[in-house]
Amino acid sequence: MRSILAVLGQAVLYALFAAFVGFFSTRPQYRPLPDAHALVKLSVSHAGALKADCRRRTREELERLPPNMRVPAECPRERSPLVIELALDGRLLHAETAMPSGLARDGAATVYRRFVVPAGTHHIAVRLNDDGRVPGFTHQREADLTLVPGQVLVIDFDSERKEVVLL
Amino acid sequence: MERVLHSAAFGHSRNPVATILERIERRLDGLFGAVSNPLRHLGAIGFLLFWVIALTGVYLYAVFDTSVAGAYRSTEALSATAYGFGAVVRALHRYASDAFVAVLLLHLARELAFGRVSGFRRFTWLTGVPLVWLTFAAGIVGFWLLWDEVAALSAVATTEWLDALGIFGETLARNFLGAAAVNDRLFSLFVFLHVGLPLLLLAGMWIHVQRLARPDTRPARSLTVGTVGALIVLSFLQPAPLAAPADLGQLPQAVKFDWFFLAPNALSERGSAAVLWLLAAGGTVLLLSLPWLVRTVRAPVAIVDPANCNGCSRCFDDCPYAAVSMTRRGDGGLAVVDADLCAGCGICAGACPSATPFRSVAELVSGIDLPHDPVDRIRRALTEVLAAGEAPVVAFGCRHGADLRALEANGVHAIALECAAQLPPAFVEYALRRGASGVVVVRCADGACEYRLGDRWSDARLAGEREPHLRASVPRDRVLVVGAGAGEERDVMTRIARWRRLPVHAARQEAGDHA
Ligand code: HEM
Ligand code: SF4
Ligand code: SF4
């Protein structure tokens, strides 16, 4: 009698354990975004223009260098920081100046940001400057978009075609 | 009698969580038996679940298509296998993994509650911590292989979380910006990680139990049947969910979610990556520094007396922490103790043939012994008890189980030991021959030994199944072995009273008065 009760008790506890595992393996449901919202992802990885042009070294400068390093042109490797602005419906959502990567600041500058926005129609403006010698912005893109709930809008920069893309 | 009791402190103070946990475990002992009590064998269940996951994983790997387009399709096709066999195997793989996380965290919490973090356990504790990371890493990548909406969510959340650390040259999350970014090569990497990380986990589990002799890595049969059976039933009742195919441009409104593995993803996405880093890194650093924060008084370790060691290697066989090794000496052997591994339990002294009290030496010196609590102290205490009482009942009890003071109050003469298996069995015969009317050995409950193996070795020696054994000529009706934990003093008294054929009621009352 006692052993039957013990077996029953064990069965109940094993069942509770399985129920616990089965429950939290699927429930409660996860909601990645609040209801009726969409996600805007600003993700840019871009190597901007060199900070300065190549420069011819003067004769005196060349003479001061060791003979094996007397190259007439001096080309700085440092790139311009990436200035980026994102505006939604005329309101500035984000402004950032991203430094190029690498010790010599000669790599790509990276921006990665997520914005949860209400679904619906929005006016989106992206402005970008990748060349420190040019005032203002070098690239812009504006668009009127309708975001459905849950949509992920990716804002990227195509470094080859030199344009802001909306995916 | 006070002198005997105070010769070494009784009982070790426990924190309240440990006391409650112990009470629950003892309740479950009543239901499962300590040998199959899940709470007492969480590590062993971990190993069992690992093998279930590995076995089901091999099947899934065989039918899985490792390409972006094929991954989802081949997972979906599992339900179309005969009798839905494939789907059940997949569900079992999933639920055994979930159970692994639950068991892992319980095991960690239990060892923590019992304060098993420092001293001779430091190695086992420290090697346990990385297993938490490996478990989550191995499991989370597994979800990506399905390439459904949950996979996409988790892949993005995980890479965004890693990027938040800012130590990777590129932005990892850019691999999941759009369908075009995800390619078959990336998928081969997932598969590689989902095979490699579990192998690393297994290696880590193996290292984790290296400092333990006879680690408990195989659960008893009924525990195995119960655990695996429950998960199989669950797998039939509730197929593992598969969300809609991954669409990186569209998040689901609400989706079935595996909280065991993916809760960190949800936390970093809806909360913040920084908070999750703080929790994960802070938690890890805290766990890793616990052995130095929780300072336990270092138990003095066992010492070998070469003059009394004959090289029989019984101590080597019985040490629960593999702290004894045997070296060559002339044509025999000599035991050597590694002080860093020794728990100071005295089980080795109880195993040594030279620790027999019948030796006619003024001071009993064992081949291996605890210098602060030697077998000579046990013999002196016993001599004192035998001289004082008329045919007394002598109890040898461990300091980690029932409180022996309750026995004292009931007219049983108690002698405290560090572990019941510290007692060389010859002491039982010695006590009976010198006038004791009976001998009680009070050890921890089955499978609940503070030093892992003491209850087993003590029983086996007294039953004559293990060396050194209690001689067959000793009348067994005058020897009682009781397994009991702290708080079960009344039980012990009842057992003793019944054995002495005393009215149980009277004994109860006395024990009650004491409490
Ligand atoms: C993959 C996960 C793990 C598995 C499969 C596992 C397995 C085991 C096994 C089989 C034992 C031996 C039990 C015995 O023979 O008495 C053990 C002991 C132990 N484990 Fe784990 N473990 C895991 C994770 C952890 C973690 C995360 C921690 C803590 C950070 C931990 C801490 C300990 C401690 C302190 C002991 C020593 C118990 C003693 O000395 O009495 N383990 N584990
Ligand atoms: S005291 Fe315990 S841990 Fe130390 S050597 Fe002896 S049996 Fe091993
Ligand atoms: S049990 Fe005693 S005699 Fe045997 S090896 Fe160990 S110390 Fe030596």
Side-chain angles (χ1 to χ4, degrees):
Chain A
M1 190 55 210
R2 217 193 108 58
S3 75
I4 293 178
L5 279 182
V7 169
L8 276 180
Q10 288 186 31
V12 167
L13 288 184
Y14 280 123
L16 279 178
F17 177 66
F20 172 79
V21 168
F23 185 86
F24 288 106
S25 184
T26 55
R27 276 151 284 202
Q29 294 211 339
Y30 174 57
R31 298 175 165 275
L33 291 175
D35 280 344
H37 276 71
L39 189 66
V40 175
K41 252 186 216 176
L42 175 64
S43 171
V44 173
S45 178
H46 170 56
L50 292 174
K51 218 167 175 179
D53 285 328
C54 292
R55 188 180 65 86
R56 286 201 80 80
R57 291 191 165 104
T58 61
R59 182 169 300 250
E60 297 85 66
E61 280 177 317
L62 280 173
E63 271 161 13
R64 256 181 276 130
L65 289 170
N68 61 334
M69 288 174 71
R70 286 182 188 157
V71 187
E74 182 193 4
C75 294
R77 290 162 63 198
E78 187 175 346
R79 292 181 183 277
S80 307
L82 188 66
V83 181
I84 195 160
E85 279 187 15
L86 168 64
L88 189 77
D89 304 324
R91 222 185 70 243
L92 193 62
L93 256 194
H94 187 63
E96 181 174 346
T97 303
M99 297 311 282
S101 60
L103 284 180
R105 299 244 168 263
D106 57 347
T110 305
V111 174
Y112 191 99
R113 284 282 176 154
R114 310 160 76 240
F115 305 97
V116 177
V117 302
T121 306
H122 294 286
H123 181 75
I124 285 177
V126 187
R127 296 181 281 274
L128 190 141
N129 182 323
D130 68 346
D131 188 344
R133 291 163 304 182
V134 181
F137 292 97
T138 50
H139 305 87
Q140 322 215 5
R141 171 98 187 244
E142 302 206 14
D144 285 305
L145 291 172
T146 302
L147 300 177
V148 301
Q151 183 172 344
V152 182
L153 172 73
V154 175
I155 302 171
D156 198 352
F157 185 77
D158 187 327
S159 296
E160 271 164 33
R161 306 226 304 269
K162 298 258 179 234
E163 61 180 21
V164 175
V165 287
L166 305 176
L167 293 168
Chain B
M1 258 339 296
E2 284 299 300
R3 224 168 54 79
V4 178
L5 292 177
H6 286 167
S7 59
F10 271 110
H12 290 220
S13 58
R14 280 270 156 101
N15 65 51
V17 182
T19 310
I20 295 170
L21 192 57
E22 243 164 33
R23 213 166 284 159
I24 297 175
E25 291 192 352
R26 250 176 284 120
R27 274 284 169 83
L28 292 185
D29 282 346
L31 206 55
F32 290 87
V35 187
S36 297
N37 181 344
L39 285 186
R40 293 201 190 282
H41 305 278
L42 291 165
I45 300 178
F47 270 84
L48 169 70
L49 291 173
F50 185 90
W51 298 124
V52 172
I53 298 163
L55 216 67
T56 48
V58 167
Y59 169 85
L60 294 174
Y61 183 72
V63 298
F64 186 73
D65 182 345
T66 57
S67 66
V68 185
Y72 187 87
R73 227 183 310 115
S74 62
T75 308
E76 211 177 19
L78 286 174
S79 340
T81 50
Y83 308 110
F85 176 75
V88 171
V89 173
R90 184 182 149 228
L92 188 55
H93 189 71
R94 158 84 163 253
Y95 297 135
S97 306
D98 292 334
F100 189 88
V101 172
V103 165
L104 164 80
L105 297 180
L106 267 178
H107 172 60
L108 189 160
R110 178 178 183 269
E111 301 302 323
L112 181 63
F114 286 148
R116 296 183 177 159
V117 301
S118 52
F120 63 94
R121 289 195 178 97
R122 189 169 66 197
F123 176 88
T124 313
W125 175 264
L126 290 178
T127 53
V129 178
L131 300 182
V132 181
W133 281 88
L134 279 171
T135 301
F136 276 91
I140 289 176
V141 177
F143 282 91
W144 301 358
L145 291 181
L146 305 178
W147 209 233
D148 62 350
E149 284 175 330
V150 175
L153 268 173
S154 171
V156 170
T158 307
T159 45
E160 283 179 352
W161 179 64
L162 291 173
D163 286 334
L165 200 57
I167 59 164
F168 300 98
E170 48 175 332
T171 312
L172 299 176
R174 281 181 64 83
N175 286 308
F176 302 105
L177 274 191
V182 183
N183 53 36
D184 289 351
R185 238 185 52 223
L186 192 61
F187 240 70
S188 304
L189 176 68
F190 295 169
V191 174
F192 173 76
L193 286 176
H194 194 52
V195 175
L197 288 171
L199 286 178
L200 218 58
L201 174 62
L202 180 62
M205 283 159 54
W206 180 77
I207 293 171
H208 179 56
V209 296
Q210 277 314 294
R211 288 273 171 103
L212 304 173
R214 299 163 208 268
D216 175 23
T217 56
R218 287 176 54 187
R221 237 181 77 187
S222 78
L223 185 51
T224 304
V225 171
T227 308
V228 180
L231 293 174
I232 290 179
V233 171
L234 172 64
S235 304
F236 272 100
L237 293 180
Q238 176 176 292
L242 183 65
D247 177 355
L248 290 162
Q250 178 71 39
L251 289 168
Q253 271 281 306
V255 70
K256 285 188 177 165
F257 205 62
D258 188 307
W259 293 94
F260 291 100
F261 281 102
L262 304 181
N265 284 157
L267 178 61
S268 72
E269 285 294 275
R270 302 255 2 211
S272 97
V275 169
L276 182 60
W277 269 118
L278 216 67
L279 279 176
T284 304
V285 170
L286 182 67
L287 289 182
L288 288 178
S289 45
L290 271 184
W292 290 272
L293 296 179
V294 181
R295 285 285 192 172
T296 43
V297 187
R298 189 136 177 42
V301 300
I303 287 181
V304 174
D305 179 40
N308 281 287
C309 170
N310 66 17
C312 71
S313 75
R314 285 176 189 170
C315 53
F316 166 82
D317 289 337
D318 283 8
C319 173
Y321 293 98
V324 182
S325 51
M326 302 301 299
T327 54
R328 292 190 63 78
R329 175 180 58 172
D331 48 3
L334 175 68
V336 178
V337 175
D338 181 339
D340 283 339
L341 304 186
C342 175
C345 63
I347 291 177
C348 49
C352 187
S354 63
T356 166
F358 289 106
R359 288 171 66 192
S360 51
V361 284
E363 190 194 349
L364 181 59
V365 180
S366 168
I368 187 166
D369 210 346
L370 299 179
H372 64 295
D373 191 12
V375 285
D376 187 58
R377 192 273 304 176
I378 308 175
R379 188 169 74 167
R380 275 188 282 116
L382 179 59
T383 309
E384 201 175 311
V385 166
L386 294 173
E390 285 257 312
V393 171
V394 182
F396 297 100
C398 131
R399 294 187 185 109
H400 301 273
D403 188 341
L404 300 179
R405 278 172 298 196
L407 310 193
E408 280 290 314
N410 279 274
V412 174
H413 300 274
I415 296 173
L417 310 172
E418 188 55 32
C419 174
Q422 184 189 0
L423 184 73
F427 270 80
V428 175
E429 185 177 1
Y430 183 83
L432 292 174
R433 287 229 217 140
R434 305 267 164 132
S437 62
V439 173
V440 187
V441 175
V442 188
R443 58 159 171 79
C444 292
D446 295 331
C449 172
E450 177 73 12
Y451 298 110
R452 303 185 54 248
L453 305 175
D455 56 331
R456 269 163 71 187
W457 294 167
S458 173
D459 282 11
R461 291 174 194 160
L462 294 175
E465 293 159 358
R466 189 177 183 86
E467 295 303 338
H469 66 277
L470 179 62
R471 296 207 307 181
S473 57
V474 175
R476 289 310 202 263
D477 58 340
R478 290 171 68 194
V479 183
L480 174 71
V481 178
V482 190
E488 290 180 324
E489 291 75 19
R490 282 177 181 221
D491 270 9
V492 179
M493 284 322 301
T494 312
R495 293 276 308 273
I496 294 177
R498 212 178 280 146
W499 170 69
R500 293 166 78 185
R501 300 198 177 76
L502 282 180
V504 170
H505 178 72
R508 274 247 168 95
Q509 202 119 49
E510 283 177 61
D513 289 348
H514 175 80

